[in-house]
Amino acid sequence: MTIPGAWRRTARGAGLLAADGTVAASIFAEMSALAARTGAINLGQGFPNEDGPSEVLEAARAAISDGVNQYPPGRGLPVLREAIARHQHRFYGLGADPETEVLVTAGATEALAATILALLEPGDEVVTFEPFYDAYGALIALGGGVHRTVRLRAPDFQPDLDELRATVSDRTRLIIVNNPHNPTGAVFPAETLALIVQLAERHDAVIVTDEVYEHLTFGVAHIPIATIPGAGARTVTISSGGKTFNTTGWKIGWLTAPAPLVTAILAVKQFLTYVNGAPFQPAIAVGLDLPDSFYTGIAADLRFKRDVLERGLAAAGFTVSRPQGSYFIVADAAPLGYPDGADFCRALPGLAGVVAVPIAAFCSPEHRPEYASLVRFAYCKRVDVLERASEQLAGLTARA
Ligand code: PMP
Ligand code: GLN
C-alpha cells in the first residue's frame, strides 16, 4: 500500500514508512505471512493456537445474545472495571478505584499509545530496556520523544544496574518497563524494580509498566512494580486479556493509575478508538474472577511447553536462554553456522518448515549487531506442534 505524499510526512518522520512510501509491515505480520505462504509452523508471532477457558468464550456469546452490542462507556463497562480492581487487589494487594483509577482500552497497545501520547512532550526522553517490543519505539517516535535504552544481554537478559542509573536523568519523562519481558522472557527481581522506582522519584519520571504476561511466570513470582513503595503515585500499570485468556484477537486491555494520570490518558484515548469490544468486556470480567486454580494451571501448562521447545532447540544445536516468563525463548543460531538471525529466519521455512523472529527486529539499528545471531521462538502453541517443530529443527545440523 502506498500513502500519498501529503499524508506521509508524520509517519515518515517517525520512521514508520519505508523510503519508497510503502508501509513497512511489522516483523510479526511479515513472519506470519511467510508462515502462511510456505505452510511452515508459525513460532514467530506470539498467539496461542488453542482456545482459552470456555466460561470466558461462553460469556462473550451470551453478551452478544443479551444485546451488549453498542458503545460501552468511555472508561469501559463498570462490570469489567470492577473486575480489574478486584483482580489487582486479589493478586497484588493493590487498591484501584474502578470509577477513577481504571481505564479499559483496545488492547495493551492502545493503553501504551494513549499513555505515551498523553504524557510525553516532544523532546522528552523515554527510557526502555533493549531489545524492546516494537510498538514502544514507534509510539515514542510518534510522540516526538527521544528513545534511550538500557541493554539486556544473554544469557539471563537482566539489566546492568549501573547502566540503568546512568541512563535515567532529569530529561527522562517516562520509564517504560515490560515485565515479564518480550522478547527475552526475563522477569525482573525486586532489586531492579526498586531501583527503577528510586530513579523515577529522583528524576520525577512516570513509570509505564507493560505486564501483559503477568500470569505467565515459571517458578518465580511476578512482582508488579506498582507494589514497590513509592511507585503507586507515579505508575501506569498496563495489562490485557489477550495472553491470560488466549483471546489475543479480542483486544481488551486496561490500565490502572492514579486518577489524574487516568484522566490525562482518557483525554487522548477518547480520540483514538473512543471505546471497543462491548460484548468482550463482560467476558474478560468473568475471566478475571476465575479461581486461582485457573491461573496456576495456565502458568504450569506454558512452563511445560517452554520445556518442550527448550529441549527441542537445544537438541537441534542452538544455544538457548531459559525464559522465566512470557511466551518466548531466545535461541542463538551462531553455533549452527548462522551468524545473521534475520537471514536465518527468512531461510528457516525452507530449511526446517518453521518460522521464528529475529531479535534484531526488537533493537535500534545501532545495537542490532550485538544481537545479530539471536532469534525468538514462541512456545504458546499446542504441544504436538512444538514437538513437530522440534523434530523438523533437529534436521538443521545435518544441513549446516
Ligand atoms: N506488550 C507486549 C510486551 C506484548 O507482547 C504485546 C503483544 N502481545 C502487547 C503489548 C500488545 O497487547 P495487546 O494485543 O493487548 O494490544
Ligand atoms: N505481541 C505479539 C508478539 O510479540 C505480536 C503482536 C503483533 O503482532 N503486533 O509476537
Side-chain angles (χ1 to χ4, degrees):
M1 179 170 115
T2 302
I3 296 184
W7 293 88
R8 199 182 295 166
R9 222 167 298 126
T10 306
R12 185 193 286 286
L16 304 183
L17 283 179
D20 64 357
T22 57
V23 175
S26 82
I27 189 67
F28 312 114
E30 183 191 338
M31 290 300 167
S32 281
L34 182 63
R37 213 165 50 241
T38 57
I41 299 174
N42 189 355
L43 304 187
Q45 195 172 28
F47 63 88
N49 60 353
E50 54 198 328
D51 276 337
S54 56
E55 298 93 318
V56 171
L57 304 180
E58 196 42 56
R61 287 187 199 101
I64 291 172
S65 299
D66 292 349
V68 188
N69 299 307
Q70 310 309 326
Y71 298 128
R75 288 176 188 259
L77 284 173
V79 69
L80 177 55
R81 282 186 274 132
E82 284 157 16
I84 292 164
R86 272 198 303 280
H87 169 277
Q88 294 305 94
H89 188 261
R90 167 181 159 197
F91 286 99
Y92 311 126
L94 288 168
D97 176 356
E99 294 288 320
T100 59
E101 296 178 329
V102 178
L103 180 63
V104 177
T105 55
T109 307
E110 193 200 25
L112 286 160
T115 301
I116 290 169
L117 295 177
L119 303 183
L120 198 61
E121 294 290 339
D124 284 346
E125 293 190 2
V126 181
V127 172
T128 74
F129 295 107
E130 182 172 6
F132 50 85
Y133 183 56
D134 64 346
Y136 302 171
L139 291 169
I140 293 165
L142 283 170
V146 177
H147 191 175
R148 303 256 178 249
T149 68
V150 176
R151 270 164 0 264
L152 305 177
R153 297 182 174 89
D156 64 356
F157 296 106
Q158 295 293 335
D160 177 311
L161 299 187
D162 285 332
E163 197 178 322
L164 178 58
R165 282 187 196 93
T167 308
V168 180
S169 75
D170 286 346
R171 293 184 300 279
T172 307
R173 175 70 179 146
L174 304 177
I175 304 174
I176 303 182
V177 182
N178 172 207
N179 184 38
H181 186 257
N182 177 6
T184 67
V187 173
F188 301 126
E191 182 198 9
T192 302
L193 301 175
L195 177 61
I196 294 168
V197 175
Q198 212 183 74
L199 292 170
E201 284 183 313
R202 186 179 310 152
H203 299 289
D204 199 21
V206 173
I207 299 165
V208 179
T209 181
D210 174 347
E211 303 186 3
V212 299
Y213 301 101
E214 62 186 314
H215 290 294
L216 303 174
T217 63
F218 319 126
V220 289
H222 167 66
I223 306 172
I225 197 166
T227 62
I228 304 281
R234 56 177 67 250
T235 298
V236 179
T237 301
I238 292 173
S239 194
S240 163
K243 318 295 160 170
T244 304
F245 306 114
N246 289 19
T247 51
T248 61
W250 287 12
K251 298 297 285 190
I252 301 298
W254 56 86
L255 60 85
T256 52
L261 287 174
V262 171
T263 304
I265 297 164
L266 176 61
V268 172
K269 184 258 186 296
Q270 67 181 333
F271 296 118
L272 293 177
T273 57
Y274 173 42
V275 291
N276 77 301
F280 300 126
Q281 293 194 16
I284 294 295
V286 167
L288 290 172
D289 283 334
L290 285 173
D292 290 354
S293 56
F294 164 75
Y295 287 90
T296 48
I298 56 171
D301 182 56
L302 197 63
R303 181 185 191 147
F304 182 78
K305 292 174 172 181
R306 174 201 67 175
D307 292 347
V308 169
L309 189 62
E310 184 185 328
R311 268 197 308 276
L313 291 170
F318 294 93
T319 304
V320 285
S321 68
R322 164 156 282 215
Q324 294 181 303
S326 88
Y327 275 179
F328 309 109
I329 188 162
V330 178
D332 191 343
L336 282 161
Y338 298 98
D340 187 302
D343 289 348
F344 176 69
C345 287
R346 272 183 218 103
L348 197 53
L351 293 169
V354 173
V355 161
V357 174
I359 293 291
F362 301 83
C363 299
S364 47
E366 65 270 32
H367 296 138
R368 281 181 195 151
E370 247 188 83
Y371 298 91
S373 61
L374 302 183
V375 296
R376 188 194 83 171
F377 289 88
Y379 47 81
C380 52
K381 309 288 176 180
R382 286 198 322 266
V383 172
D384 64 299
V385 171
L386 298 172
E387 283 170 346
R388 197 150 42 84
S390 299
E391 281 162 25
Q392 292 175 199
L393 289 164
L396 276 175
T397 346
R399 289 167 187 266

